[in-house]
């Protein structure tokens, strides 16, 4: 067991609660995909002890046998209260929400509502690989509008993509990643308002994946897409899964702007049967009862961001690290190392550390890796040591 220092919130840092031996007992994807001699710093699972109120809510439900189908609006009400307290946004109308199985399946359902077979969906690479996988699997066409300088949305490039996507006067959607995965960029209110204006001008429907919204760095402001002027016809997906490490107990919420309410009303009833009722209970408890735990996590992540920058400066100075404003992911430019398009494979083969390859993230991903820093400082330090050893 590692040390568990307390943060300014008064809660212990959940990233320091579990040691490597305990983590290797986990049976999830992060800890079972690679052999035991590989240190996994790849997929977006956190090495945390869960918030006590979440554990209590789940165990109480199991003790009661409360394991049926999901119902009610408790999750939406909890998210609305969290948004008001955390982001000063009171724009979540419970009647314009729907429970969906998870964020990406929710994205699929929202895209089905506003596009048809073969229609274009614009994305901003480098971006979360399932954006490509899910969109093409549902027979839509991906149109890339790569991020610009500083990993920010390039509005000129985006408008060109909007113009191309709507040239045949068909339907088109823009799948917005906010905050952005893998770069950790937090789009400003001004940028999002400009996006909304472009979308309105070109008749493009915006679907925002906002799963990382609770995970912004101290001093950074997250702006919900549906809160900006002009976003009234937008759709958004939110969840407690990333912020509280609850991906294994699935639940998420679809949110509609005022002019998208009719679209959300067309969501098939059976979609609401997909989420886990126990997941809804867990996510609701996370949003309602664990502010101190989340603040402690955010403080620990900020310490790890600083630690990673220092470790890379000392051991791998040729790697370029762009400071992330959100998420618990680090996007590392390894092109100066001369390891080719897929340095993750080199770090795995030679250093026995697993990182996410940049290639599946689309344009701008070659020569990059994504590192998950939601772990203990000791494990993070060992991971960088192994990366450096891979070059020796």
């Amino acid at each position: 067991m590692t040390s568990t220092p307390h943060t300014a919130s008064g809660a212990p840092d959940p990233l320091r609660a579990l040691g490597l031996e305990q983590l290797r007992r986990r049976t999830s994807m992060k800890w079972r995909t690679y052999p035991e001699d590989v240190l996994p710093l790849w997929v977006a699972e956190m090495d945390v002890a869960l918030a006590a109120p979440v554990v209590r809510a789940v165990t109480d439900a199991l003790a009661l046998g409360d394991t049926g189908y999901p119902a009610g609006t408790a999750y939406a009400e909890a998210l609305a209260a969290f948004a008001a307290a955390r982001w000063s946004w009171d724009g979540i109308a419970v009647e314009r929400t729907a429970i969906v199985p998870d964020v990406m399946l929710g994205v699929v359902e929202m895209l089905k509502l506003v596009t048809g077979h073969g229609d274009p969906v614009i994305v901003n690479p480098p971006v979360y690989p399932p954006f490509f996988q899910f969109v093409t699997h549902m027979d839509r066409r991906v149109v890339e509008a790569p991020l610009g300088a500083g990993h920010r949305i390039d509005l000129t490039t985006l408008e060109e993509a909007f113009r191309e996507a709507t040239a045949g006067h068909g339907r088109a959607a823009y799948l917005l990643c906010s905050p952005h995965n893998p770069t950790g960029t937090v789009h400003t209110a001004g940028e999002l308002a400009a996006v909304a204006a472009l979308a309105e001008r070109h008749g493009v429907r915006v679907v925002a994946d906002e799963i990382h919204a609770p995970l912004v760095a101290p001093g950074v402001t997250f702006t919900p897409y549906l809160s900006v002027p002009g976003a009234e016809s937008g759709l958004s997906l939110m969840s407690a899964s990333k912020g509280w490490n609850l991906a294994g107990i699935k639940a998420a919420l679809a949110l509609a702007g005022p002019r998208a309410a009719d679209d959300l009303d067309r969501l098939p009833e059976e979609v609401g049967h997909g989420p886990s009722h126990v997941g809804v209970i867990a996510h609701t408890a996370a949003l309602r009862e664990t502010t101190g735990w989340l603040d402690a996590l955010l403080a620990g992540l900020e310490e790890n961001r600083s630690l990673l920058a220092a470790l890379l400066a000392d051991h791998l100075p040729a790697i370029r690290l762009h400071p992330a404003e959100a998420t618990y992911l680090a996007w590392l430019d390894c092109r100066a190392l001369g390891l080719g398009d897929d340095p993750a494979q080199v770090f795995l083969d030679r250093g026995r550390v697993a990182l996410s390859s940049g290639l599946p993230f689309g344009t701008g991903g070659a020569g990059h890796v994504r590192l998950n820093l939601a772990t203990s400082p000791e494990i993070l330090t060992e991971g960088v040591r192994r990366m450096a050893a891979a070059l020796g």
Side-chain angles (χ1 to χ4, degrees):
M1 180 82 66
T2 56
S3 61
T4 55
H6 287 254
T7 66
S9 70
D13 181 355
L15 293 168
R16 296 173 181 257
L18 302 174
L20 185 58
E21 183 178 344
Q22 292 168 294
L23 291 167
R24 288 205 180 277
R25 290 163 52 195
R26 292 184 170 181
T27 58
S28 61
M29 180 184 290
K30 180 177 184 181
W31 291 96
R32 285 292 182 268
T33 298
Y34 295 98
E36 195 164 301
D37 68 322
V38 173
L39 191 66
L41 297 176
W42 64 297
V43 73
E45 298 179 21
M46 293 195 288
D47 297 342
V48 293
L50 293 184
V54 173
V55 175
R56 184 167 58 248
V58 170
T59 54
D60 286 352
L62 296 179
L64 187 62
D66 189 7
T67 53
Y69 297 105
T73 59
Y75 192 176
E77 292 165 6
L79 179 61
F82 180 87
R86 206 80 180 180
W87 307 319
S88 300
W89 181 45
D90 59 2
I92 295 181
V94 171
E95 66 273 15
R96 293 201 308 271
T97 67
I99 301 173
V100 292
D102 60 28
V103 163
M104 280 311 303
L105 291 178
V107 163
V108 167
E109 295 298 336
M110 297 305 103
L111 290 175
K112 286 180 181 178
L113 295 176
V114 299
T115 63
H117 292 294
D119 284 341
V121 177
I122 299 99
V123 302
N124 299 126
V127 73
Y128 184 48
F131 275 26
F132 298 95
Q133 298 159 351
F134 280 70
V135 167
T136 54
H137 183 69
M138 62 183 293
D139 194 27
R140 269 56 169 178
R141 176 169 56 89
V142 173
V143 174
E144 292 194 358
L147 294 176
H151 298 148
R152 308 209 72 85
I153 294 172
D154 185 320
L155 293 171
T156 300
T157 299
L158 186 64
E159 182 164 28
E160 290 172 355
F162 282 6
R163 189 176 292 114
E164 173 192 339
T166 57
H169 305 288
R171 295 189 294 177
Y174 171 40
L175 183 48
L176 170 68
C177 193
S178 180
H180 196 87
N181 174 6
T183 64
T185 304
V186 176
H187 311 303
T188 67
E191 288 170 331
L192 294 174
V195 164
L198 287 178
E200 184 73 15
R201 184 183 311 155
H202 292 279
V204 174
R205 298 298 299 276
V206 178
V207 177
D209 170 357
E210 299 182 307
I211 195 171
H212 289 278
L215 294 167
V216 296
V220 177
T221 299
F222 167 74
T223 301
Y225 177 71
L226 296 182
S227 72
V228 303
E232 292 81 7
S233 64
L235 295 158
S236 166
L237 286 304
M238 290 190 175
S239 176
S241 63
K242 282 292 181 285
W244 286 267
N245 204 45
L246 303 177
I249 39 179
K250 288 183 175 293
L253 284 166
L255 286 64
R259 287 197 282 124
D262 290 346
D263 294 306
L264 197 60
D265 286 343
R266 293 187 288 106
L267 189 69
E269 179 185 353
E270 61 268 21
V271 173
H273 298 168
S276 161
H277 178 50
V278 176
V280 170
I281 290 170
H283 291 221
T284 302
L287 291 164
R288 280 181 174 166
E289 303 178 49
T290 64
T291 299
W293 184 94
L294 179 62
D295 287 338
L297 170 68
L298 295 177
L301 291 175
E302 187 66 3
E303 290 179 2
N304 275 2
R305 290 187 190 101
S306 297
L307 174 61
L308 177 62
L311 290 169
L312 292 176
D314 287 344
H315 301 290
L316 292 164
I319 291 181
R320 293 180 57 196
L321 170 65
H322 182 83
E325 299 172 308
T327 79
Y328 48 77
L329 307 166
W331 186 237
L332 308 183
D333 182 348
C334 303
R335 288 175 292 181
L337 297 177
L339 301 179
D341 287 346
D342 192 10
Q345 191 64 50
V346 177
F347 290 129
L348 176 62
D349 293 341
R350 299 181 190 171
R352 310 308 287 162
V353 57
L355 308 169
S356 295
S357 169
L359 293 175
F361 291 82
T363 298
H368 291 70
V369 299
R370 193 190 71 176
L371 182 149
N372 178 349
L373 49 77
T375 190
S376 70
E378 293 82 7
I379 291 176
L380 181 58
T381 300
E382 172 63 12
V384 175
R385 186 199 68 77
R386 292 187 182 204
M387 292 171 66
L391 305 182

